[in-house]
Amino acid sequence: MPYRLALTLGLSLLAVAPVQAQTPLSVVATIGMIGDIAQTVGGDCVAVQTMMGPGIDPHLYQATARDVQTLNRAGLILYSGYGLEGQLGDVFARYSERVPTLAVAEAGIAQEDLIATDDAYGVDPHLWMDVSLWAQTVPAIADQLTALIPDCGPAIAANAEAYQSQLAALHGWATEAITSIPEGQRILVTAHDAFAYYGRAYGIDVAGIQGISTQSEAAIADIRQTADLIVERNVPAIFVESTINPRTIQAVIEAARQAGQEVEIGGELYSDAMGDAGTAGGTYIGMIHSNTTAISGALGGTPPTLPDELSDWAQQWSLN
Ligand code: ZN
């Protein structure tokens, strides 16, 4: 069998000298928040492709024939895990037998930091919403890249360190921005429960109309319950999400209005996907920056100026 022969040859070569993958290493990432880290940390040593682009909902995603081709050619597959990619998780588990494959959240983020849920997976997978947690995937990704392309190790280490310091600064900035909202108004109402980690990290109550996954439609009871909460807490603004149909949010606004509370749409948040490539929102830092600016602004806070560590990033996107 030719395949087995090739495998045997490959193994015997491996025994003589460590095999270094060709650069740029072809990396396939599921979500943009992973692809961005791989590209930032890998630099010129990697060529990253992201399967799920702007506005794509990872909970419902099904691999296309084209994805399968891309995965078959990959030198490294990166996915989040903890149930984020739904049934695709099983597909990646099978790929892991022949392509280096890493579930970055499962590898990088400790069990004790997870928020439990009562769905089939038992874990809330929206870990990128807490920058200090998502930053823990950076060394996991860097280690995996270095193992495959060791000649790039020093560059990868330097890039990872620089990126970690940007993320630490971003985390501090987001904390300050949310703290600037008057205490009684620190409540974030969105379409689905993607923001529990955000709420825990930055100190804001969170209410999602629909559950953790988008696999079920919001029920009438959920809409009424959310409207009651808005009236009770005097919530001035609620938010739509880039990956979710805004119809549910409109229904809540209407129900709150009938109960005498005017509430507006505070903006569109990036929940499960980043914005368009070539825009600030198309980066992980920009996703958190844009969400935090929208949330603090609409709820009566004032985001502080960006810290020095992010001035290069801000300049790149003409934000200041
Ligand atoms: Zn989600």
Side-chain angles (χ1 to χ4, degrees):
M1 271 177 121
Y3 176 70
R4 177 147 306 168
L5 180 66
L7 195 69
T8 313
L9 280 172
L11 285 176
S12 57
L13 281 172
L14 196 69
V16 179
V19 176
Q20 160 133 355
Q22 282 186 330
T23 55
L25 177 70
S26 164
V27 178
V28 178
T30 51
I31 53 174
M33 295 75 91
I34 296 172
D36 188 31
I37 296 179
Q39 189 63 69
T40 303
V41 169
D44 295 338
C45 292
V46 297
V48 178
Q49 271 184 284
T50 296
M51 286 171 70
M52 308 173 196
I56 301 290
D57 179 345
H59 304 294
L60 302 177
Y61 191 81
Q62 292 186 318
T64 62
R66 199 193 181 129
D67 289 333
V68 173
Q69 280 178 1
T70 307
L71 289 167
N72 285 337
R73 285 195 298 264
L76 172 64
I77 298 170
L78 300 174
Y79 69 109
S80 187
Y82 285 136
L84 175 73
E85 291 92 350
Q87 295 169 345
L88 269 184
D90 300 337
V91 174
F92 295 132
R94 285 202 299 277
Y95 267 100
S96 70
E97 289 164 15
R98 55 195 180 87
V99 180
T101 300
L102 184 70
V104 303
E106 291 178 14
I109 300 172
Q111 294 270 343
E112 70 246 32
D113 291 326
L114 304 175
I115 294 176
T117 61
D118 49 16
D119 66 5
Y121 295 106
V123 174
D124 180 345
H126 302 93
L127 290 146
W128 55 89
M129 290 296 184
D130 175 344
V131 178
S132 70
L133 284 189
W134 199 238
Q136 293 170 26
T137 69
V138 174
I141 292 170
D143 288 352
Q144 180 70 70
L145 290 175
T146 303
L148 294 170
I149 40 176
D151 288 356
C152 292
I156 290 168
N159 291 342
E161 197 186 324
Y163 194 48
Q164 293 268 52
S165 97
Q166 285 186 309
L167 295 183
L170 179 66
H171 186 76
W173 173 85
T175 306
E176 264 191 77
I178 298 304
T179 310
S180 75
I181 301 169
E183 210 175 333
Q185 278 173 227
R186 282 181 214 154
I187 178 161
L188 174 60
V189 179
T190 60
H192 92 298
D193 271 337
F195 291 85
Y197 291 101
Y198 189 93
R200 185 180 73 176
Y202 305 113
I204 183 167
D205 294 338
V206 169
I209 301 163
Q210 183 171 309
I212 299 286
S213 171
T214 49
Q215 285 168 2
S216 61
E217 289 265 306
I220 302 286
D222 296 329
I223 289 170
R224 186 165 308 138
Q225 214 175 10
T226 312
D228 289 347
L229 177 74
I230 288 167
V231 175
E232 188 189 307
R233 294 278 303 260
N234 217 1
V235 176
I238 66 178
F239 299 85
V240 291
E241 294 172 40
S242 60
T243 52
I244 308 270
N245 188 326
R247 203 176 48 207
T248 310
I249 287 286
Q250 286 298 349
V252 168
I253 289 176
E254 197 44 48
R257 189 169 287 153
Q258 280 171 15
Q261 170 77 27
E262 284 298 324
V263 56
E264 60 178 36
I265 292 181
E268 181 175 289
L269 303 182
Y270 298 113
S271 56
D272 289 4
M274 307 191 309
D276 292 330
T279 69
T283 67
Y284 171 63
I285 291 173
M287 168 189 209
I288 299 293
H289 175 260
S290 170
N291 284 354
T292 303
T293 303
I295 294 165
S296 59
L299 297 179
T302 312
T305 52
L306 281 172
D308 289 347
E309 291 87 342
L310 293 173
S311 59
D312 286 351
W313 176 84
Q315 205 164 19
Q316 186 185 351
W317 302 107
S318 310
L319 297 167
N320 259 317

